[in-house]
Amino acid sequence: MEKTQIQDLGDELYQAMVQREAVAPLTTRFEDITIGDAYSISQRMLERRLESGERVIGKKIGLTSKAVQTMLKVDQPDFGYLTDKMAFSQGQEMPISEQLIQPKAEGEIAFILKKDLMGPGITNAEVLAATECVMPCFEVIDSRIENWQIKIQDTIADNASCGLFILGDKAIDPRKVDLTTCGMVVEKNGAVISTGAGAAALGSPVNCVAWLANTLGQFGIALKAGEVILSGSLVPLAPVQAGDHMSVSIGGIGSASVRFI
């Protein structure tokens, strides 16, 4: 795609986010759009967010579980950027009715880094050595694409469908928990709606962070000390709306809860 097209589409997705008005899928309008084009569009969308005063505080890997890939009809992971405007803390209400268009919540494990990770060649051992702690997390993804009619290029261009996220109040040394077998239970409005385990995300959340570091390394981008890294959902996505309450519990790590307004 031409540079002007990439810039225009990034601007379009940014405006869709601000105005909370979804747009037609990019892949139905530009059949030749590549994954590389999509990441360039995502970069332009991020530039607009930074120009408005937001700052990058982390990164996320998306589409790691087969359940989510099947639900959204995509076949590989992707990544996006987290900004300070997306972050909420345990106990805060999340204003999805004011900020999101078509939100879906997913339970994840968040990694907080104490050292930079710069691919290629990052191993799982290096991921663990660079991690200060892991925390339970709810990511509430959103799509600026109409009716979630996305292909992999659409969600990549849309900053990996980033919305908002909330971290729990427990921070655990990742070497003191089995991140492959740890179980997750998600409740919505008091009823259990899904269960999962660490292995649901590319075999382990640690694999996910290594994948992210190595993939970003191809673009000359590092995972940085102090950043929050969302390692991917362990359960199917759950649509949410104002008035819902959700909680996630992860064996050996802790829990997080959120009320949507």
Side-chain angles (χ1 to χ4, degrees), residues 16-223:
M17 180 193 72
V18 171
Q19 298 169 6
R20 297 182 60 243
E21 294 180 355
V23 301
L26 277 56
T27 50
T28 63
R29 292 182 280 157
F30 302 93
E31 294 183 0
D32 60 343
I33 186 172
T34 66
I35 286 178
D37 293 333
Y39 278 121
S40 295
I41 294 165
S42 175
Q43 285 289 132
R44 174 59 182 173
M45 188 183 183
L46 176 67
E47 287 174 7
R48 293 294 305 275
R49 296 188 77 139
L50 299 181
E51 289 168 0
S52 74
E54 296 180 48
R55 60 185 178 87
V56 173
I57 62 168
K59 302 174 179 80
K60 65 156 281 185
I61 177 173
L63 308 175
T64 53
S65 78
K66 289 298 181 184
V68 173
Q69 288 183 4
T70 299
M71 181 179 292
L72 298 182
K73 298 179 181 179
V74 297
D75 60 2
Q76 60 184 288
D78 65 353
F79 67 84
Y81 294 88
L82 306 176
T83 74
D84 56 333
K85 188 177 178 181
M86 301 178 190
F88 289 78
S89 299
Q90 179 79 4
Q92 284 186 282
E93 294 179 323
M94 186 179 282
I96 59 174
S97 61
E98 298 175 359
Q99 296 189 22
L100 304 184
I101 303 170
Q102 40 193 349
K104 299 175 185 286
E106 53 189 6
E108 301 194 21
I109 297 172
F111 288 64
I112 313 300
L113 299 184
K114 60 182 178 181
K115 298 178 183 177
D116 291 0
L117 286 171
M118 182 71 181
I122 295 297
T123 65
N124 284 14
E126 289 172 313
V127 169
L128 290 174
T131 300
E132 177 71 31
C133 63
V134 291
M135 303 177 72
C137 170
F138 263 120
E139 184 185 3
V140 184
I141 63 172
D142 193 25
S143 182
R144 275 60 65 171
I145 304 298
E146 291 174 346
N147 301 315
W148 282 99
Q149 295 300 305
I150 60 173
K151 293 182 179 179
I152 187 70
Q153 296 95 323
D154 294 296
T155 185
I156 288 173
D158 191 22
N159 194 31
S161 303
C162 282
L164 308 171
F165 70 93
I166 193 164
L167 298 176
D169 54 9
K170 291 282 184 68
I172 302 297
D173 185 331
R175 289 158 287 274
K176 294 183 178 180
V177 60
D178 188 333
L179 292 170
T180 300
T181 62
C182 63
M184 173 179 287
V185 178
V186 176
E187 296 185 14
K188 178 180 177 182
N189 300 328
V192 173
I193 61 168
S194 59
T195 60
L202 299 184
S204 166
V206 183
N207 292 338
C208 297
V209 179
W211 179 93
L212 183 57
N214 291 322
T215 300
L216 283 173
Q218 299 173 24
F219 296 88
I221 300 167
L223 304 184

